[in-house]
Structures are given as C-alpha cells and as structure tokens.
Amino acid sequence: MSTLLNPKAAEPEAAAHHVGKVRSHPSQNEGLIFEHSLPGKRGMELPPLDVPAVDPVATLGAEFTRASVEGFPEVSEIEVIRHFTRLSTWNYAIDLGMYPLGSCTMKYNPRVNEFVARLEGLATEHPSQPAELSQGCLRILYDLQKCLLSITGMDAVTLQPAAGAQGELTGLLMIRAYLESMGNARRKVLIPDSAHGTNPASVVIAGYEVQNIKSNDRGQIDTDHLREFVTDDVAALMITNPSTIGIFEERIAEIAAILHERGALLYMDGANMNALAGVTRPGDFGVDVMHLNLHKTFSTPHGGGGPGAGPVMIKKILEPFLPTPVIVQKQDGSYALDSNRPQSVGRVRAFAGNFGVLLRALAYTLAYGPGIRQATEDAVLNANYIRKNLEKYFDLPYDLPSMHEVVFSDARQKAKGVNTMDIAKRLIDYGFHPYTTAFPLIVPGAMMIEPTESESREECDLFIDAMRSIAAEVDSNPEIVKTAPHSTRVGRLDETAAARKPVLRWKPA
Amino acid sequence: MRYLPKSPAERQEMLAAIGAKSIDELFKSIPEKFRLRDPLALPGPLSESEIIQYFKARADENARGYTSFLGAGVYSHLRSVVADAIIQRGEFLTSYTPYQAEFAQGTLTAIFEFQTLMCQLTGQEVANASMYDGSTALTEAVLMAERLTDRDYVLVARSVHPEYRQVLHTYAKNLGLKVEEIGFTPSGQIDRAALTPEKLSRAAAIVVQSPNFFGVLEDLPALAQAAHASGALLVDTITEAVSLGIVRPPAEADIVAMEGQALGIPPSYGGPYVGVIATREKFVRQMPGRLAGETKDAEGNRGFVLTLATREQHIRREKATSNICTNEALYALAATIHLCLIGKEGIREQALQNLAKARFAQTELEKIPGVRRTFSGRTFNEFTVEFPRSVKLINHELLKEKIVGPYSLGMYYPQLTKNAVVCVTETTSRAEIERFAAAVRKILEKPL
Amino acid sequence: MYPADYRYTKQHEWVKVDGEVGIVGITHYAQQELGDVVFVDMPKPGTKIKLGTSFGTVESVKAVSEIFSPVSGEILETNGLLSDAPEKINADPHVTAWLIKVKLDDPKEAASLMDAVAYQSYVEAAAKDH
C-alpha cells in the first residue's frame, strides 16, 4: 500500500511501520516491495494465448481452483529494478572489497564464469533429456571430475552434493556402506572440537554417534592420545586440514595410519583447500574421503548464501558406493549416466547436481591450469603478511605457522571491555566486512582472518591499517568500538526481540 | 594471471616483510614428502576467449532447436532478463551469508520478501530462506514431521517424483525411518483406502505430491483430515510452482516442500534450483534452514536479521534440525524478482495459459487412434497418456523430428509401460503442439 | 542473592522442596551467563526425569543450554508464563520464572546438593575463572 495514497501517512503512528529518521539518500528509505504494490500494475507481460482459453473451474473443478494469490505484489518493471538496486546498495560484496572471513575463502568470482553458465545450450538443458542430446553437459561434468581428481590426488568423485554439508553426509554414507560391506558399520565418528558445526550435524544424519575429541594445546589433533580413541567402534575421524585455525596437521600421515590400522577411515573437510591446491594433495597424505566447497576454493559466487556445490572425492575402495547416477565415458568416447550400481548409497538429490555451479568451477580451473599453485601461494602469502603486521596488536593464541588464514583472539582488548564482535563491527566503519568472530569454538574471542589470493598488497595494507587503528581506538576511545557500526543504514539490530517474537513475513496492515 | 593482483616485485617485498626467503618457507609445515615438485596435470591455462570457446563448443554438443515435452520436476517457463540483470550485480552475486546484518540488509530484506511470497503462494504461515532443491526439501520435511510427532514411520505416495523418493530413502535408511509406499487408483491419486486408521495412528505423516508425478491433483483437504484424525501430519510436495497460480494452495498441509525452479530459474541440466519449506507457525522451531526475521535497531529503524539460529548446525551442532548451511540464496532472490515482475495477475495468467495449452495438447493426442488418457484425475500442465506402442520407440522416432518426447513411466512404474507424462507450458507454441501430435500419429500409423 | 531454603547444582539449577513436590529453576548466575533468554523448551507434564539428566533447554540468541535435573521424579507442571515471556528468566530466575514442578521420588534426595552458602562460593570461584 503506497503511503502516498494513504492520507494517514502524515501521522507516523498510523503508518504500518516506523521508518525512523529520514535519511538524505532516497535509497535509504526504501520499503518492502509489497509496500509499493497497487492493483493494476504489472512488471511482466506474456505473449498472447494461441490456443482456446479454458475456464479454470470447468477444467480443474471448483475444489481445486484458486481465486488469486492474495497479497502478491503488483508493481511495474522499473519499480522492481529500483527496489532491488536500492537493496543492493545496502550490501557489502567482494566486488567492493575484502571479506576477511576465515574458512569462507571469499575470492574473486570471475565474470566469464557467469557468461558461460548462461549460454544457450547450457542453461537451457533439461536433466531428463536423452544422453545423446546432453553430451556437452556430460563432458563438462566429466572434465571437471578429472580436474578435481588431479588436484586432490584421489581416485573417484561424485558431483551430486549441493553444498559442503551435503558432501559431508554423502562421504559419511559411503564410509558406512563400505564398512557394512566389510561386516560392521561401526557406531561412532570422531570430531575435533575445532570442527565446523556441519560436521557433527552430518554425522548424526548418517546414523552415527558423534564423539568429540579435544584438540591439543597446539589446536591440533592430539595424535599422542588418538590411538586410545580409535576403537573398533570408530568408523572414521573427520578432520579439517589445514585446521580451522589455519594450521597444517603435520602429523597427518601418522593420524591416517592410526585409523587405517583399526580399519577406520580418514575424512577430510576440504573447506580449507585454498591452502593446498597445487602444493600438496590430500590423496597423498592418507585421506580416504573428502569434500570440496566449490563456492570457496573454486570461486563460484557465494550469492548471499548459495548456491554451492560439495563434490566428494574418494579412494578406490569406496568407488562401488558412489551415489547414482555416475558419469562415465563409454568405449565409443561418448558420455553417459550410469545408474546400474548395485552397491551405491543411492541418490542424495534429484538430477545430476548443481550443474550451473559445477560449470563455473570448471571455468575457473581452466583459467588457471597448472598455474593454480600460484593462487595458493598468494593466499598463504597474504595471510602471513597480515599476521606479521598485526601480531603486535592482537593476541595470537597459537604461535604456529599459519597457512591461508590466521586466528587472533580478543584477549588483549577484553581487558578494556571490548570483544571480537565489537572490533568486527568497527571494521565495517573502515569499509571492510568483519572477519569471522567466535569460531572456531576452541579459541575464545576468536578473530579468524582469511584474505584469499584476490587481495592486492594495497588492500592488505588498508586492512592492516584499519585493524591497527581500531586497536588504538580500543585504548583511547573504546566506546566508539563498542557501539559500532556507525556508518551503516541501520545500527546493531535487536536480535533478542527477533528471536522472542519472530516476525518472519510481511503482512498487509 | 588476471585474477591475481600482485606484481612479482610486491611478492618479494611481502616475503621480505614477513622475513621469509621464499614462498616455500611458508609451506614448511607440510611434510616434505607431501609437497609437490611438479605442476599438476591440468588443462589450461586458458584466456577468457578460450574459455568461452570451450563452453560454446560444449553447448553445440547439446540439444539445439528441439521442442521438448518433458516436465517431470523441471519446467521450461518464461523468465525476464531483468532478474538476471539484478542477480548479476556484484552486491548480490558476490556477497556472503548475511551473518553481519548491518552490512547485509539488501540480502536480508530480499530473503524476508522471499519468505513472504512463499507463504502467499503456498497458503502457509511461515517459510524458510531456501533449501537445496525440492527433493532435499521433501526429505527434510519428512524428518521434521518425524521430530514433531515422535513417530518413525511415514506413508509416501508412489506418485511422488521417483527421484525425490530415492533421496528420501537414502536419508531414511540410516535414521531408522520406515518408509511405506502407497499406490494409486485409476484416478491417479493416492489410494486412500490403503491409508488405514491403524497405519495412520503410527505414522508421522502422509506424504504426497500435488500435482503429482502423473500430473494429477491430490485431494489435500481429505488427506489432511484423515492424517489429523490419527495424530499424523500431511506433507505436500510441489514440483511445479506455477500451478499455484490457479490451483488452490495446500493450506491444509502441515508442511509444504516446494521446488521453486519453475519461478524464473533456468533448467540448467539439473541445478542449481531452489527448494523451500513452508509450514505452520507453531512448527517453526523444528524447521531446518535459515530464517530472516524483522526487528529494529536502537533508534527504532526497521531492519532484518537471521533469527532462530539455535535450530541450526553452527549452534546446535549434532542436535541441529539439519546440517544445512549454504543453501540457494541467489536463486531465492531470482525467484523473488521473478514473482515481483510477473505479479498477482501475471502468475494467474501464466497458470491459465499452461492449463489451456495442456488441455489443447491432450485433446489433440486423444484424437489419435489408440492413444488415451491414463488417469481420470484433474491435472494442471502435465498429464499421463497411454500409447499403443512402446514409448521408447515413439520417443526415438520423435527425436528425428527434433522433438523430445514425453517422460516414459516404464522405468519407475513397471505396470505403466507404454505410458508417458506429457508436459506443456506457456512456452510451447500451438504450432509445435500440433506438429507433435501429427508426428505421433504418423509414428503410430507405421506398420510394426 | 541465593535463597537460603533452596538447593543448588554445579550446573546452576536450583530446587525448592515443598513436601513431596520440588520446584526447579535455573539460577541468577546461569541466566547471566546465557544472556537474554529467547526460548525455553520443556517436556510435557507426566514425563519422568532423573537426577543429573537433561530435561530441556534454555536458549539465548546465540547459545543453547541444557537444563539438568537436580531431582528425580515426575513432572507435574511446567511454567506457562515462559512461552510468552521467556525474558522472565532474566528478570526473576528464582521465583517467578520457575521451570517445572516435580513429584519427587525421594524428597530427601535434594539435601545432598549444595546449600546457598556453598553455591555462593562456588559461583564466586567460577566467576574468577573467567
């Protein structure tokens, strides 16, 4: 309902919501699309119907017919463009600057990837059309598979999972199927306390019990005591390498050996692959199953929360258990989808996978070729450069070599009553997205920073300057940090009220 | 390399600042024997134009200039270039999950609008910010029903998309969830007689799809009543969201699991799409996935935040409602933009066009001797047809006419060989429908 | 601060024994650690609980805390106020925002828990560890 036509709009109390202080820039007052809606406006027209029209009640029956979609917006094309363009100005983005979010790998999303994903003949293909009409799509998937296997040093792969979490689940399902085929599925999966929350959540869905194991004082797997934990009941250990504090597990070969001795498997969460691609291969250091996050290491856009893709790479022993369909190349060189796999764990989603995302990942890999190592080196260089320049200002809980990310803690600033979240919010005023706060759980007051290789030296220096400036503010003017951000459209939002009385949709007044 | 903003000199300076002699020093924590000496065997590097060349070559190897009558969970519908123009803006494309709300009000506002539109479309009270797709949304909806009723047994219609049922089975078998499949009647709807009170009293839910895989609409109010009378829930899945432009929304269902691909998202050989779960407000704490909620800042300005996060994996870990983290946010945005453009009148008009075109196609096909409608139930834009000959044969011949024929049911429904599901949307011209019918007639006239 | 006639657990729950009935809640320290409470999840009346096992959760925006039972018995009643006003746990955790009333298997069981003085010291020591 447009406030312009509503005579009561002059009285703020009568309006459907309180917009707050008037801001000078018009885009800051943009309401919801529903608030622009008026009967009779349209944003899209359809070509005329070229067959006889039908009466819905006669065709569907009155009991199945709907009068209209109540409350649906009625706006013009320009209003849609303006509305969403204005909304976009309230967002931060990689295109604008650094997102130093640890373990998210917020790297540049190449635009050629967007172009090729939209090509007629790729964006238009129906997944159920005959394989003979889909050879181009199947070859893209097959070529990507080969690239991912080269990079990870593994033997076989599934591209089906829609995200890392689903990849974890798929990997665990294959582990279960394999162990079942050996006579005993076992009961437990070991998870370090530094793990990402999706790890234990996925374990439970796979029908296993989570056993949390404490990291040692170096934030790594307690290899000395690992043998005690790996009983005959343990199916696997889920490890992130480098760990979620950005440190490589040097004793990884030993860890793998301990597990293999007991017939258990090593799962690697590949979220931090950006530190390894082209430099080392998980398949070489004992990993049996791993997933990759294509929306991290492989540059597919994060899009505000997806889509992603979480392909799973495995060693040969697990190949019979791959989800169906499996993409194969036949004798005559053509490609096909093979569903004749009696030991398969089944399907984890309809159709072949997030093809559009997979396609973008292939485009990224082709752009680099063997030169992908340079990206990894630059990522690690940037993280260490930032670490060196900030270690006098912020507490470093683990004095071990960082790879592609560095984890500080707010221990020094806590003394002045300022915590990691405050510092993160103040970073916004300097034009940067916050780093990852409060994760991993093993570092209280964590500040996890991953610049990625996409940051120039200039950007890194700007970030360092901002962080140093905030450290100084903590000493001289802590209030400005504690009440940050000051420069955004809205201040800190009341999350408590949002959770106590959730309002999860717009309703007409 | 064009994606790396460093000059060789800068790399040297940065190494010096760190106090490292070479980049290899920064990798010394990786045991020597695992460090690669040689570059990986990978194709490339390719320049931008070469990348485009590669993918254009792949596009040429696919179906070009074919008319398709396939639906089966993925639908060819009109979409505006406006949605693409907006989602390609860097502020949407390259932004992160909106955990830092002050810096992501664009994403959060759009999610709130998406949630609202999904509620309006489905007639439910609350909807989440997206799931991976319809198949996993359905699985998660079933798990949700299980949690809500504390029952580990579900009754699933065989007329639910076969691939969706396969996904459910993959998840269910490790969770001790018993899935019983229920057949269908000559109407094409679920066999209500098989839904006995005894079964329902043990079931967490009746799970149906409407319109179902055969294109037939289910009687949701009756199913809901039967379920509720025995303490079970009704879970409805929708693969063709455009149907909701004219078909009565599933307000009686307790949980709706929908695939949003039909709302302006290209078929793209299977994904990415966008799933959504919509349900009653009282069930919201058992919902998986992200939720955006309205709130205020200290000055009373309206804003949006991710809320009820304690359901999710990053807080609840092994006790979370789901392991989902990354979902399909950009495509939820695309669907939101599409629905804003097509609007209240447009979606109804689009649905009516689908209904009309499908009716026209059905009439044309039923004129062919030996071809008959399989089921008596009401349909939207898909309908099942029985042919006097093998569908495989017919479809093979149709390909020669550059027509991708209907979805053959024989593979998943052994009692329905010679039956196929025809899908007609607003994008199929009358001329093409007539050409398709003529081609089928000709194929059937040929002696065996 | 901590009522003298209550008993306290190491996980910061309290119980007030009133004949055969025990009233259970979480302490001031617990609500302070949690922050603003947004939701309380408790089982239905009739549910049997045992000393030391978790019977529900209290949620803030960013955390979920399990509530461990200080007694064994059967839940008679849960506090209806908390579904609409969970913030009462922050405001008055010891009286208005009791969580459950339990029919005690053994009214003497609670005597083995910490008394108010012991709990006060326990809490002070815990606060120092921060």
Side-chain angles (χ1 to χ4, degrees), chain B residues 99 285-286 308-311 315-316 319, chain C residues 38-39 57 59-64 66:
Chain B
Y99 288 127
R285 285 193 145 82
Q286 284 304 324
L308 300 185
T310 47
R311 296 161 304 121
I315 293 177
R316 216 40 101 148
K319 301 208 172 102
Chain C
V38 303
F39 185 71
T57 55
E59 289 179 27
S60 64
V61 170
K62 296 254 192 285
V64 182
E66 288 190 270

Side-chain angles (χ1 to χ4, degrees), chain A residues 240-415:
Chain A
T240 306
N241 193 21
S243 69
T244 53
I245 53 171
I247 293 169
F248 193 84
E249 292 276 358
E250 296 131 329
R251 295 170 77 179
I252 186 77
E254 208 184 318
I255 292 167
I258 292 171
L259 289 160
H260 294 152
E261 258 169 53
R262 287 290 219 175
L265 289 98
L266 180 59
Y267 182 99
M268 186 178 114
D269 180 329
N272 287 334
M273 195 67 197
N274 215 45
L276 306 181
V279 174
T280 182
R281 302 187 311 178
D284 292 341
F285 54 69
V287 171
D288 300 301
V289 192
M290 64 173 286
H291 78 268
L292 288 171
N293 301 68
L294 299 188
H295 46 296
K296 296 185 180 187
T297 321
F298 288 83
S299 88
T300 73
H302 216 94
V312 180
M313 273 84 8
I314 53 176
K315 286 286 165 69
K316 208 145 185 64
I317 50 169
L318 293 157
E319 199 171 351
F321 311 103
L322 283 171
T324 47
V326 173
I327 299 152
V328 297
Q329 188 172 32
K330 302 200 293 203
Q331 290 271 40
D332 64 4
S334 71
Y335 302 95
L337 291 167
D338 177 18
S339 288
N340 183 15
R341 320 259 316 178
Q343 290 184 287
S344 164
V345 296
R347 227 181 223 295
V348 294
R349 39 101 35 89
F351 316 121
N354 271 359
F355 178 74
V357 176
L358 300 166
L359 185 165
R360 287 168 170 87
L362 179 60
Y364 171 82
T365 313
L366 291 174
Y368 273 102
I372 200 152
R373 186 184 181 122
Q374 184 69 73
T376 304
E377 290 176 353
D378 277 7
V380 171
L381 179 63
N382 279 352
N384 278 277
Y385 180 74
I386 287 174
R387 171 180 162 152
K388 189 75 184 171
N389 281 288
L390 290 180
E391 60 190 10
K392 291 194 173 48
Y393 300 81
F394 298 95
D395 172 58
L396 205 58
Y398 295 98
D399 191 10
L400 293 166
S402 297
M403 297 213 71
H404 66 313
E405 62 192 4
V406 54
V407 180
F408 292 104
S409 91
D410 61 5
R412 282 185 222 177
Q413 288 72 24
K414 260 293 195 22

Side-chain angles (χ1 to χ4, degrees), chain C residues 11-113:
Chain C
Q11 289 99 342
H12 310 289
E13 293 89 13
W14 57 261
V15 58
K16 175 180 173 170
V17 177
D18 193 358
E20 298 230 318
V21 173
I23 309 173
V24 176
I26 64 169
T27 66
H28 166 80
Y29 180 82
Q31 68 78 21
Q32 206 170 45
E33 287 295 291
L34 263 173
D36 291 329
V37 175
V38 303
F39 185 71
V40 185
D41 190 20
M42 289 181 290
K44 295 196 255 290
T47 312
K48 297 235 178 10
I49 51 175
K50 284 177 89 77
L51 188 157
T53 57
S54 155
F55 69 86
T57 55
V58 181
E59 289 179 27
S60 64
V61 170
K62 296 254 192 285
V64 182
S65 262
E66 288 190 270
I67 324 164
F68 295 95
S69 182
V71 289
S72 308
E74 185 184 310
I75 298 182
L76 292 167
E77 205 187 325
T78 62
N79 189 345
L81 277 178
L82 298 177
S83 45
D84 269 335
E87 58 271 19
K88 291 218 188 297
I89 292 186
N90 299 112
D92 188 9
H94 296 152
V95 183
T96 321
W98 56 272
L99 298 174
I100 55 171
K101 290 190 175 148
V102 183
K103 176 154 168 279
L104 299 169
D105 285 344
D106 176 7
K108 294 201 207 60
E109 197 183 23
S112 60
L113 299 171

Side-chain angles (χ1 to χ4, degrees), chain B residues 69-319:
Chain B
F69 290 88
L70 280 178
V74 177
Y75 303 93
S76 174
H77 283 298
L78 290 173
R79 61 185 196 279
S80 166
V81 300
V82 169
D84 244 7
I86 294 169
I87 67 172
Q88 287 197 83
R89 287 183 71 85
E91 299 92 333
F92 283 128
L93 185 74
T94 74
S95 79
Y96 183 64
T97 302
Y99 288 127
Q100 296 289 353
E102 303 85 353
F103 229 4
Q105 287 298 295
T107 298
L108 285 161
T109 308
I111 294 175
F112 189 77
E113 291 174 336
F114 174 77
Q115 289 169 189
T116 304
L117 291 165
M118 294 302 106
C119 288
Q120 291 170 333
L121 212 47
T122 59
Q124 293 288 323
E125 292 169 344
V126 57
N128 68 9
S130 78
M131 307 297 292
Y132 304 137
D133 72 339
S135 70
T136 53
L138 176 60
T139 297
E140 296 265 18
V142 169
L143 296 179
M144 189 176 150
E146 203 198 354
R147 289 192 295 272
L148 286 167
T149 57
D150 222 356
R151 296 177 181 179
D152 60 3
Y153 165 63
V154 285
L155 302 160
V156 178
R158 286 197 65 221
S159 50
V160 168
H161 195 302
E163 294 189 24
Y164 284 37
R165 284 182 285 125
Q166 283 175 341
V167 174
L168 176 60
H169 180 70
T170 302
Y171 277 71
K173 66 180 189 254
N174 299 303
L175 292 170
L177 182 64
K178 297 178 265 300
V179 177
E180 182 177 329
E181 291 196 342
I182 305 287
F184 42 89
T185 64
S187 72
Q189 294 174 312
I190 189 175
D191 182 3
R192 296 231 311 266
L195 296 169
T196 62
E198 189 282 319
K199 287 202 161 107
L200 289 173
S201 65
R202 289 184 289 120
I206 303 173
V207 181
V208 293
Q209 176 181 323
S210 187
N212 64 27
F213 195 66
F214 307 135
V216 172
L217 296 167
E218 298 281 359
D219 184 351
L220 298 174
L223 289 167
Q225 206 169 41
H228 297 157
S230 300
L233 300 175
L234 176 62
V235 173
D236 178 39
T237 188
I238 302 171
T239 60
E240 176 34 303
V242 171
S243 66
L244 291 170
I246 195 62
V247 174
R248 197 162 161 283
E252 295 83 5
D254 298 289
I255 311 170
V256 175
M258 185 159 76
E259 170 57 69
Q261 177 273 325
L263 305 174
I265 292 157
S268 197
Y269 203 61
Y273 297 153
V274 58
V276 70
I277 287 185
T279 186
R280 303 179 188 290
E281 217 165 310
K282 64 182 179 184
F283 297 146
V284 73
R285 285 193 145 82
Q286 284 304 324
M287 272 181 106
R290 295 189 180 134
L291 287 166
E294 185 179 319
T295 187
K296 295 191 168 79
D297 71 4
E299 280 162 19
N301 299 311
R302 176 175 69 182
F304 300 95
V305 288
L306 291 178
T307 190
L308 300 185
T310 47
R311 296 161 304 121
E312 297 185 70
Q313 46 75 29
H314 57 293
I315 293 177
R316 216 40 101 148
R317 296 174 74 91
E318 59 261 33
K319 301 208 172 102

